[in-house]
Amino acid sequence: MEWQGYLRSDGRKGIRNYILVVYLVECAHHVARSIAQQFREDTVQLIGFAGCYPNEYADRIMNALCTHPNVGGVLLVSLGCESFKRQRLEENIKATGRPVRTIVIQESGGTKKTIEEGIDWLQKILPDVAITPRVPMTVDELIVGTICGGSDATSGITANPAVGRTFNQLVERKAIVIFEETGEMIGLENIMSSRAISTGLAGELKASVEKAARYYTSMGHGSFAPGNADGGLTTIEEKSMGAYCKSGDSPISGLIKPGDRPIKSGLYLMDVVPDGDPKFGFPNINDNVEIAEMIASGCHTILFTTGRGSVVGSAISPVIKICANPQTYQRMSDDMDINAGTILTGTRTIDEVAEEIFQNILQVAAGKKTCSEELGHQEFILTYKTFTPIGPACLPA
């Protein structure tokens, strides 16, 4: 239960040591991608923000991602006329001791010259990032998130309950674990809020689900897709019961929003539904956005359960795929780390699969690549949202 992590200046420890190439507007995407592609065999990954003007949410998330414990260095790629506060972002990264450089396409002379400048800088700093100090790391220092995507009728029977029991183990060992998808807790708000460690938090948990119900009604499309129905789910309440199982049985210690980072061990619900009225450009539910938001809150790795099948991974933090349906696993085994469908066939129990997930987390933390990492998946989306700060009842003492 001990491995070597990457020590950062704030005392946090990472399980990966990536260098990020970050585009700060869609107009810089091609240049940033061209730079990153020259280092496909190295620990260089591409993320970015497509908008010309970042709101407070996007700015906050990007700052959190660029200083994540799995990140060892950052190259910022700017067109030059976008409104992203690139100087402040660079200063924040530099303050953590990470190597950082900003290149501006309009100042560097265009596409070719900027690509050459970016490649040259990465070649120089790769050896320095590679010698980041390694120190012992244990389970109580982990932050683990969970999400489900491509759910079917098997998800709530196999993979999700197994993840819930893995979460129980992690909480017992003083780790931080985060579950989300308040849009998939509709109908269960009273049951979930009864697990809160305080009366104030119980009210906040219930209100977050009620907000999700109003939001998705306004958007005209909730967290229930045609693929869910094809997979045997009948209602959002039925889907909610399956999704809720991922949280396990531990008391709920707090409610956070994207970018909030818990500092005490325990189980936390992440509210990813924007506050206020829906606005043009705000997203509907999206697995890749929510993965990025959980990573921004410090997650070292993400447990992704799926019944229908999903191939996505992520930049920055490895995604462990847990397949709920044995038939899906048979078709898509190259993309799946865990076959929870064995619960359905009677080959293994929920506890046995939960233990396999737990051991897989330790192995991935120690450096083992997940299937999505082996296949080169680095999905990433950062969108527009608006959030109000959490109140004192959300993280009770």
Side-chain angles (χ1 to χ4, degrees):
M1 299 228 180
E2 182 178 290
W3 61 91
Q4 295 293 300
Y6 296 91
L7 181 63
R8 307 304 176 190
S9 63
D10 61 2
R12 292 192 292 167
K13 301 171 187 177
I15 65 171
R16 296 292 185 269
N17 195 31
Y18 292 127
I19 298 173
L20 299 183
V21 178
V22 183
Y23 58 92
L24 300 180
V25 64
E26 183 62 25
C27 306
H29 191 164
H30 171 76
V31 170
R33 182 175 60 244
S34 298
I35 294 169
Q37 284 178 337
Q38 299 300 312
F39 300 88
R40 291 181 64 88
E41 302 304 317
D42 296 295
T43 55
V44 175
Q45 295 193 339
L46 176 70
I47 69 170
F49 177 67
C52 191
Y53 186 89
N55 65 356
E56 183 179 346
Y57 157 82
D59 185 81
R60 182 185 191 210
I61 296 298
M62 187 61 79
N63 274 268
L65 293 170
C66 289
T67 56
H68 189 279
N70 286 353
V71 174
V74 183
L75 175 65
L76 303 175
V77 184
S78 163
L79 175 62
C81 54
E82 76 278 357
S83 297
F84 211 107
K85 296 179 175 64
R86 59 179 183 269
Q87 291 90 355
R88 188 181 68 181
L89 177 58
E90 179 179 344
E91 290 169 3
N92 290 343
I93 298 167
K94 187 178 295 183
T96 69
R98 292 169 171 82
V100 58
R101 171 79 174 273
T102 301
I103 53 177
V104 181
I105 297 169
Q106 292 169 348
E107 298 174 4
S108 297
T111 299
K112 292 180 67 174
K113 292 178 181 178
T114 309
I115 292 172
E116 291 170 359
E117 184 179 345
I119 291 172
D120 181 65
W121 186 77
L122 286 177
Q123 288 174 335
K124 290 178 180 177
I125 65 114
L126 270 167
D128 294 333
V129 174
I131 59 172
T132 299
R134 304 293 300 274
V135 293
M137 186 173 179
T138 51
V139 178
D140 61 327
E141 297 173 287
L142 280 176
I143 304 178
V144 180
T146 187
I147 182 173
C148 52
S151 300
D152 69 8
T154 68
S155 298
I157 301 172
T158 61
N160 290 349
V163 166
R165 298 201 186 173
T166 302
F167 263 28
N168 292 344
Q169 290 190 61
L170 289 166
V171 171
E172 288 172 3
R173 290 168 172 80
K174 305 303 181 183
I176 293 171
V177 293
I178 302 172
F179 72 112
E180 48 82 67
E181 296 168 313
T182 50
E184 294 181 5
M185 304 297 166
I186 295 170
L188 300 177
E189 51 268 33
N190 290 326
I191 296 172
M192 181 172 65
S193 62
S194 69
R195 294 167 55 194
I197 64 172
S198 74
T199 303
L201 176 59
E204 295 284 359
L205 294 174
K206 185 176 180 180
S208 72
V209 178
E210 292 171 344
K211 179 186 71 171
R214 292 192 302 270
Y215 182 85
Y216 289 117
T217 298
S218 299
M219 296 290 279
H221 176 69
S223 181
F224 193 87
N228 299 144
D230 292 342
L233 293 170
T234 61
T235 62
I236 183 59
E237 289 81 5
E238 188 175 55
K239 185 180 181 184
S240 294
M241 288 188 287
Y244 177 67
C245 293
K246 300 196 307 299
S247 65
D249 302 314
S250 302
I252 299 176
S253 297
L255 174 71
I256 62 174
K257 298 182 182 183
D260 295 329
R261 183 165 55 89
I263 58 174
K264 292 177 62 177
S265 64
L267 172 68
Y268 296 82
L269 172 66
M270 176 178 283
D271 177 7
V272 300
V273 175
D275 292 318
D277 295 328
K279 298 178 182 179
F280 179 79
F282 279 18
N284 234 311
I285 194 164
N286 184 300
D287 295 337
N288 295 289
V289 173
E290 291 163 9
I291 289 173
E293 290 172 334
M294 298 184 86
I295 294 171
S297 287
C299 287
H300 292 95
T301 187
I302 306 292
L303 306 179
F304 191 125
T305 68
T306 182
R308 298 278 292 173
S310 175
V311 300
V312 302
S314 179
I316 303 177
S317 295
V319 174
I320 299 172
K321 290 285 194 24
I322 303 158
C323 188
N325 191 316
Q327 295 177 346
T328 303
Y329 184 85
Q330 188 174 16
R331 291 194 307 271
M332 302 179 65
S333 58
D334 289 344
D335 288 276
M336 304 297 165
D337 298 280
I338 306 287
N339 181 10
T342 53
I343 298 168
L344 199 64
T345 60
T347 309
R348 293 188 298 170
T349 65
I350 293 175
D351 285 331
E352 287 171 337
V353 173
E355 180 62 25
E356 183 187 3
I357 296 170
F358 181 76
Q359 294 300 327
N360 195 276
I361 292 169
L362 301 182
Q363 293 164 9
V364 169
K368 175 188 173 183
K369 287 189 176 183
T370 65
C371 289
S372 62
E373 286 182 299
E374 290 282 6
L375 292 167
H377 284 280
Q378 297 178 23
E379 283 81 1
F380 181 85
I381 305 175
L382 179 56
T383 59
Y384 284 105
K385 289 185 179 182
T386 298
F387 288 97
T388 58
I390 59 173
C394 293
L395 288 176

